[in-house]
Amino acid sequence: MTDGVHPTAVEGLTVEHRTDPLGVDAARPRFGWRTASKVRGRRQTAYRILVASSPGLPSEGRADVWDSGRTDAPDSVAVRYAGPELHASTRYHWTVQVWDERGRRLPDAPVARFETGLLSTDGVTGWDGARWICMAGKAPNSAGAPLLRRQTSLRPGRVREARLYVSALGVYEVHVNGHRVGVPQDGGTTYELLTPGWTNYDTTVSYFTYDVTDLLAGQPQVTLAAVLGNGWYNGRVSANSVYYSEAGNPLALKAKLLIRYEDGSAQTVVTTPGDDWRATDSGPYRADDIYDGQTYDARRELPGWTANGFDTSAWSATEEHDFTTRFPGSRLVAYPGESARLMPRWDRGPRTITVYTGGGGPVADPARTVTDPGEAATAPLTLNPGETAVFDLGQNMVGVLRYTLRGPAGAEVAFRPGEMLNDAGAGADGPPGSVYRANLRTAEATSTYILKGDPQGETHQDSLTFYGFRHICVTTSETVTLTGLTGKVATSALQDIGHVTTDAPDVNQLISNVRWGQRGNYLWIPTDCPQRDERCGWTGDTQVFAQTGLYNADSVAFLSHFQDILIDSQRTYGADGAQFTWIAPGTRYNDPDPASGWADCGVVLPWTVWQMSGDPTVVDRSWDAMTAYMDWIRARTGDTWAGQGAIFGDWLAFQVTSTQLVSDAYYAYSARLMADMARATGRTAEARTYEDFFARIKRAFVTKYLSTDGGRLTVRSSLGSPPPWTPGGSPTRTEDDSQTALLWVLKLGLYDTDAQRRAIVDLLVQNIGNSAHYKAAHPDSTRVEYAENTLSVGFLGVNVLAPVLTEEGHADLAYEVLHQDAMPSWLYSVRNGATTIWERWNSYAREEGFGPVEMNSFNHYAYGAIMEWMYESMAGIAKDAAHPGFKHFFLRPHLDPTGRITRVTGSHRSPYGEIVSAWTVRDSTFTHRVAVPANSTATLRVPTADPDSVREGGTPLAQVGEVAYLGFEDGVASYELPSGSYELTSSLG
């Protein structure tokens, strides 16, 4: 004991990877917990889970639902419930008792809770007759969002608890008794955006559960009300999907309000067609679209329509939607993660305001130009017709705008967001200083507000669409004063669990850009871009970035859910119902063409989630789909052991690799991952099968692509075709010994001898180094156009480059490439003002202007996959594939030999607790602070000139209790560490 506080605590209790979740529909939920301890070597040897109907029982060590009994095991990740069948709509309370390495029971964890959902997927069971209802007689795509409401009397007696279960065909904003229903976040309440998200509606629709008890307190009646928006269900974003209708889909609501009283009685209010539920489309929500934005006419507001006592006699009745007739097999399931929501702590206000007046052309008005951020955030602005205000929020973000206005009734104000400002360079779509929007393509992306004329001012934020933006262009039809404007950030990446910082400002900006790109593109699904007429779940982007995404944020449930969507898409849109698709959910961009690297997401994503979380559930759930995919390729290409083909190749690379080589490499990669997952989940025969797959693919690959003609090894990456469609400005001719080909050969060991490996490493180092000698020897290569130490990879090489260089002993070159700011490089965008990751290495340059508009997103996270290397090799927090979930891991920082980074701090909250690796180099002394969570161990690799100099305090680390010295090689001393915190120093020379 220390000051009455026990040095060890059990914390972080989760159910289905969530804290105190509502609406759990898993029949056998997964429990997780962490042990936090200041005691070195702390580890769990046994546990006991207690589940009860009231919170008092577990706190007393009792359980009336399930008692696992003492179980001698170190397991604390995804431990399955094994008690009696759980009841629907029921709150359960639980805790876990833990015994340490000496057999002592630790202090009990605080009692946690979880609540089941309806425990059904048929849309009938548990719904008490709730139906899909829509506004009677409303033609699809006619003006006005449907407003639906029902008011009913509550029974006498005190309400004990109330739960609302709700879904929509479209998106909803739901209200109870005049209050919009929110969700808890960061100690307060926030609102969701575009619930219930995006799925393949013809196969799966999500519903959500809310605790609305407080909204019914003391009320004799209850009014349930909802606004319905088109969302993804009824918009061209879903063109060519099974559920899409060119004529438009009517929107629908399905809801059940369950009210339980103190006397034990219950009451339900459900959506039913007829006169009980009333509807209108005459309200202020005039138009909404995912791509085009939202129009809100405040003159049409209906004060009090969401509260009790509103007169709906002039409203329409409701009718049953035909969804269940069209798609009788579609499942209605509880959403398994956290919703996308507005996150106030990340909101941004204006940094600058510029007003442009007309005349002979737009001219900035210096009297109304504000460059001080503090003033810009609060300064009122009066804008006249014919003038344009441009707001810079300083950060490219995703979400909606919140604005406050004063002006006459009927004045129309248009807010047009964009990511960049025009300059005088090529590709601009307007005069310098105006908001660049050409890259939005056909997306109108406009928030239009029509004032009601309130002299006190009127405030609005859209709720039926979203935008990607840094800059806002504002115009008005009449004189209006803006008294406030805020960029409201929306994301599904709600909780950061990893951080890397350095003493290099440009690298820190790159890290910030990666994180903001993830926030913006992790919105219900992992999208490719948030601004233009796309915003789709491209699977190549998803798999490349997944490991970075899981290091940065709590994304296990989010990505596992996307895998479920991908499996749905495989069955519906994939060739022969077996091919994983380019995009999920299915949209107008999907075709059953060969797309290795994208399709392989269906294998790579489960492997990555399992590795980072330690939970194999996603592997088991995906196994049949993964084997169907691998069998499909085998049937398609037979004994050639070639991949299916890769229509996108190494997308947007500056050195082109043949699409077939890319496909063959990914076939090998997926086979290796399948063997790994099979072994880990007890599928011994399948493991042998996929090991054989890999061996045969490797033999075919080496025979086809590795040439020793003329006594020189060549990787024949020119053998085959380039991508059939290459956006403007990209090279189109394949080359031998391309960076991406060399990287994948090394990553997968697609060679026969160590001499071949060394030769391939040398080819890679020469290619990246790109010296004058190299250019002279390769005059026909695209590399001659670029600087030394630049990359030339596209989407499928970007997360391989730095890790392979480091693994092959060239961390020095990885750092040189990281620091490079000439094009193509990561810091090129930083040098040119980026605050998120770009789609193209050359999306914009101050000297040259904008890149080709057809593929020019300024928020496209794939190239941010470099950050997994920052965690694993720069900070040095690296997973051990043999022990998923960081049960065992490596602490292996690689110092920056360029000397430009001398300090790195990295952390990641693993399933076992916070891992820390923070190092500094000063005057040839290496200082390293590390933390290994309880119940896990780490292999520490310390750079040093002398292993005897590696010390904790004055004690050689090799002599510290329970630390095992493993040896010294190539300037690195290795140790096995038990859990605990360590402050180490070593001499570098």
Side-chain angles (χ1 to χ4, degrees):
M1 295 286 186
T2 303
D3 297 329
V5 178
H6 198 278
T8 303
V10 181
E11 62 182 24
L13 274 62
T14 62
V15 175
E16 293 293 291
H17 296 281
R18 299 164 62 195
T19 301
D20 295 339
L22 288 175
V24 173
D25 258 7
R28 296 177 58 225
R30 295 164 287 173
F31 296 102
W33 60 90
R34 301 188 300 271
T35 301
S37 180
K38 297 179 181 178
V39 178
R40 286 191 179 170
R42 182 104 303 160
R43 56 188 174 86
Q44 173 188 304
T45 56
Y47 68 84
R48 179 190 177 201
I49 298 172
L50 300 165
V51 181
S53 59
S54 68
L57 292 174
S59 64
E60 297 170 358
R62 296 186 294 140
D64 60 352
V65 176
W66 179 54
D67 184 342
S68 71
R70 175 169 169 159
T71 303
D72 294 328
D75 303 335
S76 61
V77 175
V79 179
R80 288 281 185 185
Y81 173 81
E85 182 177 351
L86 297 172
H87 300 295
S89 303
T90 301
R91 175 165 288 190
Y92 294 93
H93 305 267
W94 75 285
T95 192
V96 61
Q97 298 173 349
V98 170
W99 285 262
D100 70 11
E101 69 282 358
R102 296 184 182 179
R104 298 172 304 188
R105 198 176 114 191
L106 301 176
D108 291 353
V111 174
R113 63 181 184 271
F114 68 96
E115 191 169 299
T116 53
L118 300 178
L119 296 179
S120 68
T121 62
D122 61 9
V124 176
T125 306
W127 281 95
D128 292 343
R131 315 282 277 275
W132 288 112
I133 63 169
C134 55
M135 178 179 171
K138 180 171 174 60
N141 294 335
S142 58
L147 312 181
L148 287 76
R149 105 188 264 286
R150 181 184 177 184
Q151 180 174 332
T152 190
S153 296
L154 295 174
R155 293 180 182 173
R158 183 176 177 182
V159 173
R160 177 167 57 88
E161 61 184 15
R163 298 293 181 267
L164 176 62
Y165 306 92
V166 61
S167 184
L169 301 174
V171 295
Y172 65 78
E173 174 189 309
V174 66
H175 302 253
V176 173
N177 282 349
H179 298 277
R180 185 175 174 186
V181 175
V183 289
Q185 183 65 47
D186 296 338
T189 299
T190 190
Y191 298 112
E192 298 166 325
L193 186 67
L194 304 175
T195 324
W198 191 9
T199 54
N200 291 300
Y201 301 98
D202 48 288
T203 59
T204 307
V205 182
S206 298
Y207 75 86
F208 283 78
T209 305
Y210 304 93
D211 182 347
V212 294
T213 308
D214 291 347
L215 302 183
L216 272 65
Q219 298 289 323
Q221 295 186 314
V222 60
T223 292
L224 182 59
V227 183
L228 297 182
N230 292 301
W232 298 270
Y233 180 69
N234 186 45
R236 65 187 190 278
V237 65
S238 293
N240 292 340
S241 299
V242 171
Y243 56 85
Y244 177 76
S245 170
E246 191 168 349
N249 282 319
L251 308 180
L253 177 72
K254 187 167 187 171
K256 169 186 169 179
L257 176 62
L258 172 62
I259 306 159
R260 289 176 170 143
Y261 295 89
E262 291 286 2
D263 63 5
S265 64
Q267 178 182 2
T268 60
V269 180
V270 299
T271 48
T272 52
D275 288 332
D276 286 341
W277 281 86
R278 308 290 288 173
T280 186
D281 61 1
S282 63
Y285 304 85
R286 303 316 305 153
D288 63 271
D289 183 80
I290 291 293
Y291 290 157
D292 294 336
Q294 184 171 328
T295 298
Y296 187 92
D297 187 344
R299 298 170 302 177
R300 291 174 169 264
E301 287 179 343
L302 304 169
W305 79 272
T306 63
N308 293 324
F310 185 81
D311 180 9
T312 59
S313 58
W315 287 27
S316 300
T318 58
E319 60 187 6
E320 185 165 4
H321 195 282
D322 66 353
F323 181 77
T324 54
T325 302
R326 290 178 62 199
F327 304 113
S330 182
R331 302 177 310 135
L332 186 56
V333 303
Y335 188 79
E338 302 297 345
S339 55
R341 57 190 64 166
L342 300 169
M343 297 292 289
R345 59 186 152 108
W346 292 325
D347 289 350
R348 289 292 184 271
R351 306 283 295 173
T352 66
I353 306 171
T354 306
V355 178
Y356 294 91
T357 58
V363 177
D365 180 356
R368 288 185 289 169
T369 293
V370 182
T371 57
D372 176 73
E375 184 183 352
T378 58
L381 172 68
T382 298
L383 195 65
N384 302 308
E387 298 177 336
T388 300
V390 174
F391 291 78
D392 179 2
L393 277 61
Q395 173 63 56
N396 200 0
M397 68 183 72
V398 172
V400 295
L401 296 170
R402 181 177 180 85
Y403 42 81
T404 300
L405 310 169
R406 285 199 314 270
E412 183 172 310
V413 185
F415 297 80
R416 295 182 175 88
E419 299 176 293
M420 298 284 285
L421 295 181
N422 282 304
D423 57 17
D429 67 347
S434 62
V435 176
Y436 170 79
R437 283 169 47 98
N439 69 323
L440 304 186
R441 302 188 305 208
T442 67
E444 294 295 333
T446 301
S447 176
T448 302
Y449 185 84
I450 303 171
L451 281 78
K452 60 187 174 184
D454 187 339
Q456 301 303 311
E458 38 203 287
T459 299
H460 175 73
Q461 69 186 46
D462 289 346
S463 58
L464 305 178
T465 189
F466 71 97
Y467 308 94
F469 60 97
R470 169 179 171 170
H471 304 278
I472 311 296
C473 163
V474 185
T475 58
T476 180
S477 66
E478 300 184 51
T479 299
V480 167
T481 299
L482 284 78
T483 58
L485 186 147
T486 303
K488 303 288 293 180
V489 174
T491 185
S492 294
L494 305 176
Q495 188 174 17
D496 293 342
I497 61 171
H499 300 272
V500 179
T501 57
T502 77
D503 57 348
D506 282 353
V507 173
N508 288 343
Q509 182 63 56
L510 175 62
I511 291 167
S512 174
N513 294 0
V514 174
R515 191 176 298 281
W516 277 98
Q518 178 175 1
R519 285 174 186 156
N521 284 292
Y522 274 27
L523 186 77
W524 292 110
I525 61 167
T527 62
D528 64 325
C529 60
Q531 73 296 92
R532 69 186 182 210
D533 58 352
E534 197 163 339
R535 314 188 193 192
C536 298
W538 284 91
T539 50
D541 309 50
T542 298
Q543 64 91 1
V544 163
F545 189 81
Q547 187 161 308
T548 293
L550 288 159
Y551 266 118
N552 274 342
D554 185 359
S555 303
V556 171
F558 174 80
L559 290 175
S560 298
H561 176 59
F562 182 71
Q563 177 71 9
D564 294 339
I565 293 173
L566 179 55
I567 292 170
D568 279 353
S569 292
Q570 172 196 38
R571 294 167 181 155
T572 303
Y573 302 103
D576 304 313
Q579 175 198 36
F580 288 117
T581 52
W582 313 345
I583 288 174
T587 71
R588 67 185 189 277
Y589 294 107
N590 257 336
D591 287 304
D593 291 331
S596 290
W598 275 252
D600 295 280
C601 179
V603 176
V604 178
L605 189 59
W607 184 87
T608 306
V609 171
W610 161 60
Q611 282 285 307
M612 293 294 288
S613 69
D615 182 356
T617 300
V618 68
V619 173
D620 290 328
R621 206 163 63 212
S622 304
W623 189 258
D624 290 346
M626 294 191 296
T627 55
Y629 171 65
M630 296 299 287
D631 290 348
W632 174 79
I633 300 176
R634 175 80 173 91
R636 185 182 179 92
T637 64
D639 290 339
T640 65
W641 295 100
Q644 61 168 310
I647 191 171
F648 302 118
D650 184 25
W651 184 245
L652 295 179
F654 276 74
Q655 188 179 33
V656 180
T657 305
S658 87
T659 57
Q660 192 57 52
L661 184 147
V662 167
S663 181
D664 296 351
Y666 258 94
Y667 190 20
Y669 186 42
S670 285
R672 173 178 282 183
L673 299 186
M674 290 293 289
D676 194 10
M677 290 185 282
R679 280 193 303 272
T681 56
R683 297 174 167 92
T684 306
E686 290 96 328
R688 289 194 296 267
T689 295
Y690 288 111
E691 286 165 355
D692 180 65
F693 263 44
F694 178 81
R696 291 176 184 272
I697 298 166
K698 174 180 175 178
R699 175 51 36 216
F701 187 101
V702 170
T703 300
K704 182 175 182 180
Y705 296 111
L706 265 61
S707 168
T708 55
D709 291 349
R712 178 185 180 278
L713 185 85
T714 300
V715 175
R716 302 170 67 199
S717 47
S718 68
L719 188 61
S721 303
W725 180 63
T726 304
S730 298
T732 58
R733 180 178 56 83
T734 57
E735 298 183 33
D736 285 338
D737 297 329
S738 70
Q739 277 185 26
T740 293
L742 297 169
L743 288 164
W744 276 99
V745 167
L746 290 168
K747 177 180 175 68
L748 298 176
L750 300 176
Y751 48 78
D752 287 328
T753 67
D754 194 57
Q756 289 177 342
R757 180 191 65 81
R758 292 195 300 272
I760 295 165
V761 170
D762 187 57
L763 289 171
L764 177 64
V765 169
Q766 290 183 43
N767 183 315
I768 295 172
N770 204 28
S771 66
H773 176 75
Y774 180 83
K775 292 176 182 178
H778 301 83
D780 296 328
S781 173
T782 55
R783 297 292 288 138
V784 300
E785 302 176 31
Y786 302 110
E788 295 181 357
N789 301 325
T790 51
L791 48 78
S792 64
V793 297
F795 279 34
L796 298 186
V798 72
N799 66 327
V800 185
L801 190 150
V804 165
L805 283 175
T806 304
E807 183 68 23
E808 296 295 344
H810 289 279
D812 57 339
L813 186 53
Y815 271 107
E816 290 284 0
V817 176
L818 175 66
H819 289 299
Q820 176 63 269
D821 64 2
M823 213 279 294
S825 66
W826 280 286
L827 293 187
Y828 182 77
S829 63
V830 171
R831 179 162 65 86
N832 283 280
T835 61
T836 41
I837 300 297
W838 294 349
E839 178 175 21
R840 307 176 66 98
W841 295 114
N842 62 340
S843 283
Y844 171 78
R846 291 190 175 107
E847 300 83 2
E848 300 172 6
F850 292 94
V853 70
E854 66 266 30
M855 287 291 158
N856 209 30
S857 160
F858 291 95
N859 193 349
H860 221 92
Y861 61 43
Y863 290 150
I866 180 61
M867 201 164 168
E868 71 179 65
W869 176 83
M870 294 180 179
Y871 279 104
E872 295 197 335
S873 295
M874 193 167 73
I877 300 170
K879 67 183 186 306
D880 178 355
H883 302 279
F886 298 86
K887 179 68 174 174
H888 176 269
F889 58 95
F890 297 99
L891 292 165
R892 55 177 195 194
H894 292 76
L895 308 188
D896 181 2
T898 74
R900 282 172 280 189
I901 293 177
T902 62
R903 185 178 71 251
V904 174
T905 300
S907 65
H908 172 67
R909 195 190 73 202
S910 80
Y912 297 96
E914 192 82 6
I915 301 170
V916 175
S917 178
W919 59 263
T920 303
V921 173
R922 184 179 294 112
D923 299 329
S924 296
T925 297
F926 173 72
T927 303
H928 198 190
R929 176 172 59 88
V930 301
V932 180
N935 213 26
S936 67
T937 58
T939 298
L940 171 69
R941 294 175 179 167
V942 182
T944 184
D946 178 5
D948 290 339
S949 74
V950 180
R951 295 175 177 261
E952 183 183 39
T955 305
L957 184 59
Q959 297 176 17
V960 172
E962 297 189 61
V963 173
Y965 177 57
L966 303 178
F968 177 69
E969 184 178 3
D970 297 330
V972 175
S974 297
Y975 305 82
E976 193 68 17
L977 298 184
S979 66
S981 297
Y982 302 80
E983 298 271 357
L984 311 172
T985 57
S986 73
S987 173
L988 298 175

